[in-house]
Amino acid sequence: MQTNPTYSSLVAVGDSFTEGMSDLLPDGSYRGWADLLAGRMAAVTPGFRYANLAVRGKLIQQIVDEQVDVAAAMQADVITLVGGLNDTLRPKCDMVRVRDLLTEAVERLAPSCKQLVLMRSPGRQGPVLERFRPRMEELFTVVDELGARHGAVVVDLYGAPSLSDPRLWDVDRLHLSAEGHRRVAEAVWQTLGYDPEDTEWRTPIPATVPPRWLARRIADARFARQHLLPWIGRRLTGRSSGDGLPPKRPDLLPYEH
């Protein structure tokens, strides 16, 4: 990868991870790693343009149907694609279909940009992840194979010790905190060939005294009530948190802080 490359545009494709949940801003909107990355790329490239087509809750079929052709038509220098993880978290998941759809997305996007970026998504420690880990790792094997076949770079977030730490995740236990998103932005920045600003993004944060048993149980109960039960309800009824929501930043326009 070249050092300090010149990329003039970025299009981000995906779900809540790329939309930026749960990096919440004071106005109630989400920032996230893609916005942070775009800001850094814009700072070194005048006239830099950025679009973010991601919508929370999207499955890989929806990403292919709603975002891929739009992104390909923009002819951006860099396209990031992260999808399929929501599928692996469903009670029933056809991994052959997920593989085929992800392959279709990569085959459409890779020829339309100078550099396609894929990712092995981060996963936090905990019992929920353990249940779905085999599917996730099967998905990441497909990502690695597609990256090698189509000249895409693969950012390994799954293998980063820092990003498995529950303290870098929001209280919903599904989305990264602001610090988690910052580290992802740094990871992609370096993978694209820019000089590192944080060479320790993979390094775990310092240990702290764990919360007491009662505090953990209270947190578990709050998590179940506010996040887990609504998530299960959406799965059972076929609804999504992104139903009816537009893309975050649908047009490829000059980036403004």
Side-chain angles (χ1 to χ4, degrees), residues 19 55-58 234 239-246:
E19 184 184 345
V55 178
R56 69 196 70 172
K58 293 299 181 181
R234 291 194 297 271
R239 292 179 292 113
S240 167
S241 58
D243 286 348
L245 293 180

Side-chain angles (χ1 to χ4, degrees), residues 83-85 87-89 93 95 98-99 102 119-124 129-146 154 156-160 164:
L85 198 62
D87 296 78
T88 69
L89 299 177
C93 175
M95 288 303 297
V98 171
R99 179 199 65 200
L102 191 59
M119 298 188 200
R120 293 161 53 92
S121 304
R124 58 163 281 163
L129 175 64
E130 292 307 316
R131 177 181 176 185
F132 299 104
R133 189 181 296 276
R135 288 182 187 172
M136 293 174 60
E137 294 184 347
E138 185 176 349
L139 175 67
F140 299 153
T141 297
V142 175
V143 168
D144 288 340
E145 293 171 350
L146 289 172
V154 178
D156 185 15
L157 305 173
Y158 184 69
S164 67

Side-chain angles (χ1 to χ4, degrees), residues 13 20 23 50 55 57 61-62 114 120 127 132 199 223 247 252:
V13 173
D23 186 6
Y50 170 52
V55 178
Q61 179 75 71
Q62 295 170 305
K114 290 183 179 178
R120 293 161 53 92
F132 299 104
T199 59
F223 159 72
L252 187 61

